[in-house]
Amino acid sequence: RAVIGVEPIRAVMACGGLAQNDLYLQTHADVLGLPVTVPHEDSAAVLRGSAILAAAAACQFPSVADAMRGMSRGGRTMAPCLDPELQRFHGARFEIFKHMQRHQQEYCAIEAQAAAAQTLGAQSGIASPEQDPKLTTYGAGEADENVAVPQRLGVSILQAHGLKHMNN
């Protein structure tokens, strides 16, 4: 999406361990539809980037972009494959990813509602794990912060939200 006053991205620079993997680089170039370049001095990329920012801050160059152009050398570049069939494939995969993101947001909302309902139930004296074996307690560790949650919601998802299994 274009933003007024912001230049569009025309290329990607890659560094680090995965920059040595040609399949990784080519896939990114294909998915993004942009060339991906690995600098010749990949192992010193962070050092070079720091020097570029320092040179721009010290007004040795009019801008960071000018410092990048003046202090960087090219490298090997992976050009994107713009085959329409491959682009349709990546487009379909992206649509699947967006659906999965929306579903994950829906699942989190359902879990939050269930946890809130269980918290209200616990505060009003309705079922606790001691009274109902189908409930499991999760919490941050303090008794008044714990939440009784139906076991079917799944341990890993609740733990991902920072809640620990408290029944053991």
Side-chain angles (χ1 to χ4, degrees):
R1 296 180 190 149
V3 177
I4 296 174
V6 177
E7 290 211 22
I9 297 172
R10 292 187 295 264
V12 174
M13 296 292 288
C15 63
L18 282 173
Q20 306 309 310
N21 183 323
D22 286 346
L23 178 61
Y24 176 85
L25 296 172
Q26 187 62 58
T27 301
H28 275 74
D30 295 345
V31 167
L32 297 171
L34 298 169
V36 176
T37 300
V38 178
H40 288 297
E41 308 86 12
D42 182 42
S43 61
V46 172
L47 180 61
R48 181 171 301 278
S50 298
I52 288 170
L53 292 175
C59 298
Q60 297 298 309
F61 291 90
S63 68
V64 173
D66 289 325
M68 289 171 63
R69 280 188 285 279
M71 297 176 67
S72 298
R73 293 189 301 170
R76 65 187 178 99
T77 299
M78 304 296 249
C81 175
L82 301 176
D83 174 51
E85 189 173 323
L86 182 62
Q87 293 302 309
R88 277 192 298 278
F89 171 77
H90 288 308
R93 298 292 300 259
F94 184 57
E95 288 303 314
I96 291 168
F97 170 78
K98 291 191 296 187
H99 283 286
M100 291 171 61
Q101 287 291 99
R102 282 193 295 275
H103 289 162
Q104 181 63 31
Q105 291 169 346
E106 291 171 17
Y107 302 150
C108 288
I110 291 167
E111 289 170 351
Q113 290 172 351
Q118 290 300 321
T119 300
L120 291 174
Q123 290 172 352
S124 65
I126 300 172
S128 70
E130 294 79 26
Q131 299 164 331
D132 185 346
K134 293 181 183 165
L135 293 177
T136 301
T137 304
Y138 293 88
E142 301 296 328
D144 58 343
E145 297 174 0
N146 294 341
V147 178
V149 179
Q151 290 176 349
R152 64 183 158 64
L153 285 179
V155 173
S156 61
I157 294 172
L158 291 165
Q159 287 174 337
H161 292 280
L163 299 174
K164 298 180 281 190
H165 188 259
M166 305 301 287
N167 282 12
N168 293 346

